[in-house]
Amino acid sequence: MNKITATCVIRNAKQLVTLHTPGHIGPRGGKAMSELGIIEKGAIAFSGSRIVAVGETNKLLKSISITRKTKMIDATNRVITPGLIDCHSHPVFAGGRAHEFEMRISGKSYLEIAEAGGGIKATVKATQKASPKRLFNNGKKVLDEMFSWGVTTVEGKSGYGLTLKDEIKMLKVLNKLNHEHDIDIVTTFLGAHEIPEEYKNKPDEYVALVCNRMIPAVVADNLAEFCDVFCEKGVFSPKQTRIILQTAQAFGLKLKIHADQFHSTGGAELAAEFRAVSADHLDCVGDEGIHLIRKAGVVPVLLPGSIFILGAKQKAPARKMIDYGLPVALGTDFNPGSSPIHSLPITMSLACIEFKMTPAEALCAATLNAAYAIDRGDKIGCLSPGKMADIVIWDVQDYREITYWFGKNLVYSVFKNGHEIKP
Ligand code: NIG
Ligand code: FE
């Protein structure tokens, strides 16, 4: 029998957390979120950018062909997991909103600040003024930081441009970052992130601009894979959201929704109706919404960072969702307002604390289920032959330490497409 030649083998890991168990395909819902497919004294081999073998070290070494060119790495007393996937972020913008952070501490709410011209609108002003080069440099710093915490793929949204020209500018920056940075970026058009000041009294005209000018232009230049809408009281109504989603779907974009973040507005129901790939936030979702997204196979993306930063009283019913069998995913929601948190491991710790998710569930939510939330479940998110060699080696002996040592960066090494990159 011809053995497969490996270009790299990482062996002797105290725990190799594969997120793969025989016979299981698809995202993991309910109890299956805790089945991490851990191999003690595990090894993983890859050939170029693809994983070719996974197993117990002694067995794996017998099953593959090792040449003088094979890079051998020892992971004794370390843990290996799939590269983390941040499935919801807003990484490109200009300026900051530290003064709003202070205003919120003094008692103003996120929506009150937004209504007074701050919030997303403030970042839009700064982003419109910024050159593509400045936005690129800002975005690169954000991605460097995310990568240093073990993230190998990130979903990134536009949404701080809000004019045809500025939305395209943001998407081009995201695409350039995707080309030039080690992290893979899955790009989302979020022209419907806020109603621009000049359309305050005629929001339907802005919806028409998004549908008639922006979506066609985004698709013509192949600048985004997904379309997202902030469906919320005072932002886009369910009716307006439906019009935008219908157009985006007709143009072949996949769908996401910022759903039920501050009010139960029917966002989850819409996500189910359109069979969106994910419904995100869901802090105020009701039982009917939970039932419908499960039926429609929509992945619920929960964002504990924004709950923590905004001190929100109503949190997504994560336990209820998991106990109901849903495959919960986690993202940082990194943005300059509601979640200035770069770190996905910190977000995972927050999910344990805020949502009572277990460390195993949090890890599954930030790897395998996050891959399905961006429609990449066939390529990344677990460690099994055929998947991309996106891997993190952690300086811990038990995967639970990743969420336990709050705020400590425990990444030892990151492999992206089979290449080792020490952050
Ligand atoms: O996901 N909710 C809408 N959008 C972002 C916040 C963006 C901002 O405040 O700049 C979010 O929380
Ligand atoms: Fe968001």
Side-chain angles (χ1 to χ4, degrees):
M1 196 178 76
N2 273 347
K3 289 185 184 176
I4 306 167
T5 306
T7 49
C8 180
V9 177
I10 314 174
R11 59 184 165 171
N12 296 325
K14 177 97 180 160
Q15 296 177 331
L16 177 74
V17 187
T18 66
L19 274 296
H20 178 76
T21 51
H24 185 97
I25 18 174
R28 290 179 175 271
K31 285 200 174 66
M33 282 186 75
S34 308
E35 292 160 17
L36 299 183
I38 297 175
I39 301 171
E40 308 276 332
K41 212 169 188 308
I44 180 162
F46 29 99
S47 175
S49 60
R50 299 264 172 188
I51 298 170
V52 290
V54 171
E56 197 272 319
T57 296
N58 290 334
K59 272 197 208 150
L60 180 133
L61 291 176
K62 283 180 202 144
S63 73
I64 54 162
S65 159
I66 292 165
T67 69
R68 263 188 299 158
K69 283 193 185 147
T70 307
K71 189 171 174 186
M72 301 296 286
I73 293 169
D74 189 71
T76 300
N77 288 333
R78 301 213 157 92
V79 168
I80 297 176
T81 69
L84 302 183
I85 299 167
D86 190 347
C87 61
H88 181 133
S89 87
H90 308 250
V92 169
F93 55 84
R97 304 204 321 248
H99 60 290
E100 290 186 9
F101 176 61
E102 195 172 55
M103 282 164 84
R104 284 198 306 275
I105 289 165
S106 324
K108 286 257 176 300
S109 80
Y110 178 81
L111 287 179
E112 277 166 1
I113 294 168
E115 272 154 27
I120 295 171
K121 283 191 185 111
T123 301
V124 168
K125 260 193 204 145
T127 305
Q128 288 181 343
K129 276 196 209 130
S131 68
K133 189 162 176 227
R134 200 168 115 221
L135 292 178
F136 179 88
N137 290 339
N138 289 355
K140 186 181 172 300
K141 277 191 203 147
V142 171
L143 296 176
D144 287 347
E145 184 65 22
M146 288 176 162
F147 191 79
S148 77
W149 288 89
V151 169
T152 47
T153 301
V154 62
E155 183 262 6
K157 303 172 196 293
S158 67
Y160 292 119
L162 307 194
T163 66
L164 175 63
K165 175 173 123 273
D166 293 303
E167 281 297 307
I168 299 285
K169 175 175 80 177
M170 282 195 76
L171 288 171
K172 284 193 171 159
V173 168
L174 282 162
N175 280 278
K176 190 170 152 72
L177 285 165
N178 181 37
H179 266 108
E180 296 186 15
H181 202 279
D182 293 314
I183 287 192
D184 278 327
I185 305 180
V186 172
T187 308
T188 297
F189 167 63
L190 180 56
H193 194 193
E194 177 62 289
I195 317 259
E197 203 45 43
E198 57 278 25
Y199 287 89
K200 209 170 159 186
N201 300 318
K202 42 179 186 177
D204 287 339
E205 283 184 32
Y206 184 65
V207 172
L209 178 70
V210 169
C211 292
N212 301 337
R213 302 276 311 278
M214 293 189 190
I215 291 176
V218 167
V219 172
D221 278 354
N222 200 16
L223 293 175
E225 180 173 336
F226 283 88
C227 177
D228 191 347
V229 179
F230 186 16
C231 180
E232 181 59 56
K233 229 182 186 172
V235 194
F236 295 92
S237 68
K239 196 171 152 215
Q240 292 165 332
T241 303
R242 178 178 279 112
I243 295 169
I244 297 166
L245 295 181
Q246 267 163 352
T247 309
Q249 199 164 53
F251 273 88
L253 292 172
K254 297 171 196 170
L255 306 179
K256 289 180 168 286
I257 308 184
H258 276 69
D260 304 317
Q261 181 179 7
F262 299 111
H263 300 92
S264 183
T265 38
E269 287 80 353
L270 271 175
E273 179 187 326
F274 281 88
R275 296 195 177 271
V277 175
S278 72
D280 302 36
H281 282 288
L282 299 172
D283 296 314
C284 299
V285 72
D287 288 351
E288 180 65 5
I290 295 178
H291 171 68
L292 290 173
I293 59 171
R294 191 180 105 160
K295 222 168 107 187
V298 177
V299 178
V301 172
L302 307 190
L303 307 163
S306 60
I307 290 168
F308 177 72
I309 295 292
L310 299 180
K313 286 191 190 68
Q314 205 161 340
K315 307 173 191 178
R319 273 273 47 98
K320 199 183 218 180
M321 289 180 187
I322 296 171
D323 296 342
Y324 190 51
L326 275 165
V328 165
L330 288 171
T332 58
D333 194 16
F334 174 77
N335 74 70
S338 65
S339 185
I341 301 177
H342 297 76
S343 163
L344 194 48
I346 289 179
T347 304
M348 290 155 67
S349 298
L350 290 175
C352 298
I353 296 158
E354 297 277 351
F355 291 150
K356 306 285 175 243
M357 284 170 68
T358 64
E361 288 166 345
L363 185 58
C364 174
T367 52
L368 185 78
N369 289 354
Y372 281 94
I374 52 170
D375 200 25
R376 288 288 186 286
D378 56 337
K379 294 191 178 67
I380 51 174
C382 69
L383 303 179
S384 66
K387 295 284 192 310
M388 301 305 291
D390 290 0
I391 291 156
V392 182
I393 306 181
W394 302 88
D395 213 354
V396 297
Q397 301 202 32
D398 183 315
Y399 74 87
R400 289 174 294 194
E401 293 181 63
I402 299 168
T403 38
Y404 162 65
W405 297 111
F406 188 90
K408 175 146 176 64
N409 191 335
L410 294 159
V411 171
Y412 174 74
S413 185
V414 181
F415 286 76
K416 179 67 194 168
N417 293 331
H419 294 288
E420 186 174 21
I421 301 154
K422 291 230 177 201

